[in-house]
Amino acid sequence: MQNSGVAIIGSGSATPVASLDNQGMSQLVETSDEWIVSRTGIRERRLATGSESLSTIATIASRGALAMAGITPDDLDLIILATSTPDDLFGSASEIQAQLGAVKAVTFDLTAACSGFIFGLVTAAQYIRTGLYQNILLIGADILSRWVDWEDRRTCVLFGDGAGAVVLQAAASDRLLGFELRSDGTQNQCLKLAYKAQSQRLLEGFDVGKGTYQPITMNGQEVYRFALQRVPEVIDKALFRANISVDQIDWLLLHQANQRILDAIAQRLNIPEHKVISNLAQYGNTSAASIPLALDEAVRQGRIQSDDIIAASGFGAGLTWGAAIFRWGR
Ligand code: UT7
């Protein structure tokens, strides 16, 4: 096996059909379009309904990425699904493998909440860099609407459902220029989708837990502060590792959590507004999907072009955060 470089050569995305705008939201909880837009920038979000599942939207996104990359499902060696909301807790990547017919691909799920896509990108790159695999499909997908507390106005207005995918391929030169990943479990309480069990006695001395996951809880102000402090730091570190200066960045592609967070981070890094990719007005915070969804839209709109340098950063529950600097395309 020979060491190899990594190129990100295709993207795809998919979102559920149903769109709930802020007006609709204000029928559910005491809120307003004015509050949501001024505090977050979000105007509407897509919600999975009916037969739409994580694997169905992820499979559509994956097909788009494979088509753009010009490879077939048979070519895939590995499928990584970054998600916190699998259809099956044992993992949903294999369901996507089956739907694609990617017979030779190894599959697994990876959970790092809203940082999942960046963590997945770095994980996938290691398999390619070591020469083990040639073609990897990385999907970021979440249906957080399954776990939102629809009576909690502090969180329910923020999230939406979606999927994005990219194909990574072995290449002569390495186009993943630098990265940095971080975790801090001491702040885990800030953002939770926690399992809660009732005790069930099987036999004397065998009280097992039986329960379910509880709706999302978040300390919004803490997470906001964390993002503003940690994300510029981690991007700086990744740029340093890439030996790239801020001016060389063509696009800042942040996890789409809140327009105020995007604006403040861009300002701290001295990156002009026209380089900041934002689509959260239409989709809200789609967790692991937000970066590949925004990437795919910008590529398909012709904004991101081959060889452009992208600084991408994810942050969220865990707490986890990370950044990756890469050149788009072959
Ligand atoms: O992907 C994971 C990453 N998550 C994030 O990045 C979230 C980071 N945090 C945020 O984006 C912001 O903290 C929020 C958008 C969640 C909240 O914005 P904020 O400016 O920090 O508002 P706040 O929590 O300080 O609340 C201000 C007021 C409160 O009322 P009082 O106590 O001042 O009377 C809230 O009860 O706004 C109230 N409020 C709302 N009002 C109308 C909270 N949510 C709503 C709402 N509609 N939906």
Side-chain angles (χ1 to χ4, degrees):
M1 282 187 298
Q2 270 192 326
N3 284 4
S4 166
V6 180
I8 303 166
I9 60 166
S11 65
S13 60
T15 50
V17 176
S19 172
L20 180 64
D21 64 12
N22 292 346
Q23 203 55 47
M25 221 15 122
S26 64
Q27 290 170 30
L28 284 176
V29 287
E30 200 180 324
T31 190
S32 64
D33 180 54
E34 196 280 327
W35 191 95
I36 303 172
V37 172
S38 63
R39 300 284 178 134
T40 71
I42 298 165
R43 292 183 184 275
E44 56 185 316
R45 67 289 291 146
R46 301 293 180 89
L47 302 180
T49 57
S51 61
E52 288 169 329
S53 68
L54 190 87
S55 46
T56 58
I57 59 172
T59 301
I60 298 168
S62 300
R63 290 205 175 104
L66 291 171
M68 191 188 289
I71 66 167
T72 65
D74 285 344
D75 296 320
L76 289 174
D77 302 302
L78 174 65
I79 299 173
I80 301 176
L81 170 64
T83 190
S84 305
T85 54
D87 294 331
D88 178 345
L89 264 187
F90 286 147
S92 287
S94 53
E95 173 64 28
I96 297 161
Q97 179 224 34
Q99 288 187 28
L100 292 172
V103 285
K104 87 171 195 231
V106 176
T107 66
F108 62 85
D109 289 17
L110 177 156
T111 300
C114 304
S115 308
F117 181 79
I118 297 294
F119 281 40
L121 190 71
V122 173
T123 304
Q126 307 314 308
Y127 286 100
I128 291 178
R129 283 182 168 172
T130 54
L132 186 63
Y133 294 139
Q134 296 283 307
N135 290 301
I136 300 179
L137 175 67
L138 168 65
I139 307 155
D142 266 310
I143 299 189
L144 282 188
S145 63
R146 288 172 172 172
W147 298 108
V148 159
D149 178 350
W150 291 104
E151 292 178 359
D152 179 7
R153 68 176 185 176
R154 290 166 305 162
T155 52
C156 73
V157 300
L158 303 175
F159 300 107
D161 304 332
V166 294
V167 171
L168 292 91
Q169 190 171 65
S173 71
D174 205 338
R175 295 167 76 84
L176 175 60
L177 307 172
F179 65 83
E180 181 75 10
L181 306 179
R182 293 292 175 89
S183 302
D184 178 7
T186 64
Q187 290 206 75
N188 181 257
Q189 290 302 325
C190 290
L191 186 46
K192 298 279 284 186
L193 199 175
Y195 178 77
K196 192 170 171 200
Q198 304 284 342
S199 177
Q200 182 183 344
R201 173 148 298 188
L202 299 181
L203 292 168
E204 183 66 33
F206 293 93
D207 294 331
V208 294
K210 196 160 166 55
T212 182
Y213 290 88
Q214 302 300 302
I216 295 167
T217 56
M218 181 173 74
N219 181 334
Q221 291 184 358
E222 277 300 316
V223 178
Y224 193 96
R225 265 195 292 275
F226 144 78
L228 259 54
Q229 186 185 355
R230 297 299 181 194
V231 173
E233 271 174 23
V234 85
I235 292 175
D236 267 342
K237 191 77 184 216
L239 285 170
F240 175 77
R241 293 194 191 285
N243 200 16
I244 292 274
S245 70
V246 174
D247 321 338
Q248 290 173 277
I249 296 173
D250 294 297
W251 301 103
L252 179 65
L253 176 55
L254 299 176
H255 166 51
Q256 306 283 300
N258 182 327
Q259 189 62 44
R260 280 156 61 211
I261 295 180
L262 268 55
D263 294 343
I265 291 172
Q267 201 177 6
R268 283 200 187 180
L269 289 168
N270 236 342
I271 295 175
E273 203 185 316
H274 70 269
K275 291 186 175 183
V276 181
I277 293 174
S278 170
N279 69 357
L280 91 172
Q282 294 115 282
Y283 302 114
N285 176 345
T286 56
S287 189
S290 88
I291 293 175
L293 177 58
L295 172 74
D296 184 52
E297 285 197 347
V299 167
R300 285 174 196 273
Q301 288 160 358
R303 294 180 75 203
I304 294 179
Q305 307 250 328
S306 195
D307 283 337
D308 280 358
I309 296 179
I310 300 170
S313 178
F315 52 93
L319 297 177
T320 54
W321 65 106
I325 316 296
F326 60 91
R327 268 188 200 280
W328 174 249
R330 285 175 210 276

